[in-house]
Amino acid sequence: LRRMLNLPMVQEKKLVTGEIILRDPLRFKESFTVNKGSRDGISPGDAVIDITPDGRMLLVGRVSACGARSSKVVTISEQSVRISGRVGSNSAIGFTNTGNAHAGNNKIRFGWLPLRDDYVSGGVVTTTGFEKGIPANIKIGELVLTGNSGFNFSNSQDLSAALIPA
């Protein structure tokens, strides 16, 4: 169909294995540099994942800048990185790093969630596939509800929680 309509063919993404070659000791949770670049098929916006020994994919972050032989990666802990995530317990969609405040020790903010009362602490959050370069169903982390009942429904139009990155 793409050929008949003269649309560009969609290229399949492939996994490229790289190593961390540079990490700032003061911002080690937010960014690092890997030894793969545009010569290896890497481009800005590509997903950076880790694969567990049992084969599960975990989202680390995304490529922010790319040279011929190396790429700068920003992790999901970086405040400027916004990635949409689907909550496994109810399929609600929210976004990482919403709001001005950091969620706390080893957690990131996860907000703009629809007003619902069926969120479960510990629920798995996966990528939605909405962003270019980031496939769907890669684990981002686990939802952490705050307070006794989870959320404050006062005058807010959406909900916020914390997320423990995978």
Side-chain angles (χ1 to χ4, degrees), residues 23-29:
R23 190 178 279 253
D24 183 339
L26 297 176
R27 293 181 42 84
F28 68 95
K29 288 184 181 179

Side-chain angles (χ1 to χ4, degrees), residues 17-66:
T17 304
E19 295 180 20
I20 297 173
I21 58 173
L22 181 64
R23 190 178 279 253
D24 183 339
L26 297 176
R27 293 181 42 84
F28 68 95
K29 288 184 181 179
E30 289 85 15
S31 66
F32 55 87
T33 302
V34 293
N35 67 340
K36 299 294 179 179
S38 59
R39 288 185 178 181
D40 304 296
I42 307 296
S43 58
D46 285 349
V48 176
I49 62 170
D50 189 14
I51 299 178
T52 64
D54 62 351
R56 289 181 299 134
M57 293 193 295
L58 311 174
L59 184 68
V60 174
R62 65 185 328 162
V63 174
S64 64
C66 195

